[in-house]
Amino acid sequence: MEKTSNKPFYITTTLPYVNGRPHLGYALEVVQADVLARVARESGSEVVFNIGTDEHGQKIYQKAIEAGVTPQAYCDGMVGAFREVRETLDVSYTHFIRTTDASHVAAAQEFWKRCAANGDIYKKQYQTKYCVGCEMEKTDSDLDYGVCPDHPKMAIELVEEENYFFRFSKYQDALLELYAARPDFVFPANRLTEIRNFVSGGLQDFSISRLASKMPWGIPVPGDDGHVMYVWFDALVNYIATLGWPSDEANFTKFWPGLQIAGKDNLRQQAAMWQAMLLSAGLAPSERILIHGHILVAGQKMSKSLGNVISPDELIETFGKDGTRYLLLSSGSFENDSDITGERLTEKYHADLANGLGNLVSRLVKLSEKLGTVFEIPVVEEVYPEELRALFAEYRLAEALEWIMDRTRTLDRQIAETKPWVLVKADAPAFETSMQEFLQELAFITRCLSPFLPDTSEKIRQALRERKTEVLFRRVG
């Protein structure tokens, strides 16, 4: 494979809470990150691709109590569903970090010490409104008629206690300078505008601990066992702990800073809170923050009360892992929310995969059996064409996938116009020439598809080698 880059590449997703099975937004995020990791890897970069689980905080503690088990036992029982994305969605992660890992606990405590040494942690008595679902403090402007719009069935709690605070307000100017110096720091651009406006409006210091007597499930605050770290302060440190920080300075320096991908409801935490924390600890800010939209169902957020929740497991059972990857990646973009319905997904799956790519491969491979001894396995340089590289560089994954599928449709039309099944009897040399061109184009398309549909790409390559194929995408419904 031709190498186009030797720069180490680090990408990390956010860490989901383990209070339920993986949801569709998480599946979208890890598949988007997987495509970028595969592209970097196949372009010659050494890749670290990090995923994991966020296992501390009040909602986990409450779930464990409800289940009648210890919080650690509860987390141990839930984590497997998140590791399984390697098989269920073919996600090529290299690192899986749990916030209960001893190495992460040590890193979070060292991070706390460095922020404290910089004068950025202090203690005070305070009162605030708190959403357990978000594990976030809420102002009145964050609430709709007194409830969190993201968790309307959860009562807002009134927290009144003495906690440790982080001097977020101290870093307002530094954050604005960061955004000004690096106009591509947050992608897409409208999210950078959003976070800049938030920071410009004035920052309030935020609580970074909880009383262990009330909520003991967290990392102990260094030097004060009466408090545990606030879950967000703890969890954000995973992005550097997974690289071996602070004990493996060489590996950390090799890969940090990196690319972080998160949903739009994580913008404030990733692009402002975490960056201020890094500055406080004397560490470089992230390289870039990619913010993707939400998945809507017929224009509405997924909600159990509305009965419109679609799970990754359901999609995989219906469309298979590569069918699910295709539908997730092609349904939207970083700039917009994805709006889906079961009917739309089925229609797109049939049009693009079952009746499109799958049928094309079956026809061509079957025709290739008639090539006899002149058949040659198509060879494609394993690099991406300029058009795709440009789209990858701008994180336009849905557009990149559509560019590939458009070539598939064009090839299908060319076959229909050439009618090789007629040429094989009327003009054998013309048949052989046309088929070699068609097969070469199919090999090229397969190469381009490999980061999006890795399993399907390998099956097509095998079909070309053996001149026989299985049904790639079975019809559903």
Side-chain angles (χ1 to χ4, degrees), residues 92-313:
S92 62
Y93 63 84
T94 62
H95 291 49
F96 189 101
I97 189 169
R98 300 176 60 181
T99 56
T100 52
D101 290 340
S103 57
H104 172 80
V105 171
Q109 291 181 321
E110 175 60 24
F111 194 94
W112 178 289
K113 291 176 185 177
R114 295 195 186 190
C115 293
N118 200 31
D120 291 336
I121 294 179
Y122 65 96
K123 217 177 194 183
K124 78 169 185 178
Q125 187 79 23
Y126 87 119
Q127 184 182 86
T128 190
K129 294 174 181 177
Y130 190 79
C131 172
V132 175
C134 296
E135 294 282 12
M136 289 285 291
E137 298 171 15
K138 298 291 180 177
T139 64
D140 288 338
S141 63
D142 294 325
L143 306 176
D144 288 342
Y145 300 100
V147 300
C148 173
D150 292 330
H151 301 93
K153 291 191 174 183
M154 286 188 172
I156 292 295
E157 296 190 0
L158 188 65
V159 176
E160 184 173 8
E161 59 188 40
E162 185 179 52
N163 287 169
Y164 286 94
F165 275 71
F166 176 73
R167 295 189 192 277
F168 195 27
S169 57
K170 174 181 171 180
Y171 291 94
Q172 178 172 341
D173 291 343
L175 289 173
L176 293 174
E177 289 171 8
L178 171 65
Y179 305 150
R182 293 165 58 182
D184 63 348
F185 181 67
V186 178
F187 178 85
N190 65 311
R191 298 302 175 194
L192 178 64
T193 300
E194 183 180 338
I195 196 63
R196 184 191 292 117
N197 290 342
F198 167 73
V199 174
S200 297
L203 298 179
Q204 301 295 317
D205 298 348
F206 59 87
S207 169
I208 57 171
S209 77
R210 293 291 180 265
L211 284 174
S213 59
K214 292 183 178 180
M215 207 293 294
W217 185 235
I219 296 175
V221 167
D224 189 346
D225 289 342
H227 286 257
V228 297
M229 292 184 195
Y230 166 58
V231 63
W232 274 102
F233 190 94
D234 144 29
L236 289 166
V237 179
N238 94 86
Y239 302 132
I240 58 176
T242 196
L243 298 175
W245 186 89
S247 57
D248 190 344
E249 189 66 29
N251 194 64
F252 171 69
T253 303
K254 181 178 181 179
F255 287 100
W256 185 261
L259 192 64
Q260 295 180 214
I261 182 169
K264 66 181 184 180
D265 54 347
N266 253 234
L267 174 64
R268 196 175 296 184
Q269 294 91 321
Q270 307 297 326
M273 291 167 60
W274 173 229
Q275 305 311 315
M277 289 164 57
L278 286 165
L279 292 170
S280 175
L283 301 173
S286 305
E287 179 180 317
R288 205 172 191 189
I289 311 292
L290 305 184
I291 301 295
H292 63 81
H294 287 162
I295 298 179
L296 309 179
V297 177
Q300 295 181 305
K301 288 191 68 174
M302 279 187 274
S303 165
K304 290 180 181 178
S305 61
L306 293 174
N308 67 347
V309 174
I310 302 174
S311 74
D313 294 340

Side-chain angles (χ1 to χ4, degrees), residues 436-473:
Q436 290 293 349
E437 292 175 357
F438 295 154
L439 291 167
Q440 189 69 31
E441 176 66 2
L442 178 58
F444 173 80
I445 289 169
T446 302
R447 174 70 195 93
C448 294
L449 271 176
S450 61
F452 297 95
L453 309 180
D455 186 54
T456 298
S457 298
E458 181 53 39
K459 287 178 179 177
I460 297 174
R461 282 190 284 266
Q462 182 177 348
L464 289 173
R465 288 192 299 267
E466 299 177 359
R467 281 191 274 180
K468 61 180 180 180
T469 185
E470 60 184 272
V471 176
L472 295 178
F473 301 99

